[in-house]
Amino acid sequence: MTRKALLVPLLTVASAILLVARVTWDSDTFQHCRYLGPSTRMYVTSWTGLACALAALLAFAVLPRPQRRGLAAVSAVLGVLLAFMLLMTAYWLYTPDPSGGDDCSGLHLLVP
């Protein structure tokens, strides 16, 4: 496996780590029943993770045909899934306040 082919799984792992980090910081939006909005680290991990996933797909696309198999192909498939999930996290950054602007009054519909 060449260095170029190793770039695909490396970028895929990086985007997976950034997705996990983004999901763990979901609790940043509320503090003491006050809606604070998405934190800066939520924006950074969402957009950087998406960039890594798309870069992995681009790196796979520019590989010569004989190198597009094995670990690189599996990483490219995972990269497509990660790109979709990270695109959804980026979309969720810009959705309106789920409580309707009244602090925690609307959270009972979301949190059991």
Side-chain angles (χ1 to χ4, degrees):
M1 188 175 249
T2 65
R3 288 184 184 181
K4 287 182 185 178
L6 283 176
L7 190 60
V8 178
L10 264 172
L11 287 168
T12 303
V13 167
S15 64
I17 289 170
L18 288 166
L19 176 64
V20 169
R22 164 60 178 88
V23 171
T24 59
W25 290 325
D26 270 343
S27 62
D28 284 0
T29 56
F30 283 92
Q31 183 179 20
H32 303 296
C33 249
R34 288 277 196 222
Y35 181 72
L36 303 175
S39 64
T40 302
R41 61 185 180 179
M42 291 170 73
Y43 282 100
V44 169
T45 53
S46 289
W47 288 110
T48 307
L50 183 59
C52 284
L54 294 176
L57 295 174
L58 181 64
F60 180 75
V62 299
L63 282 176
R65 202 167 274 277
Q67 293 179 3
R68 290 186 192 176
R69 62 176 138 220
L71 185 60
V74 171
S75 296
V77 171
L78 288 174
V80 170
L81 296 173
L82 286 167
F84 178 71
M85 288 189 284
L86 286 158
L87 189 60
M88 292 305 298
T89 63
Y91 169 76
W92 289 328
L93 287 173
Y94 299 100
T95 57
D97 176 8
S99 67
D102 296 324
D103 298 327
C104 291
S105 62
L107 275 183
H108 70 280
L109 301 174
L110 300 174
V111 179

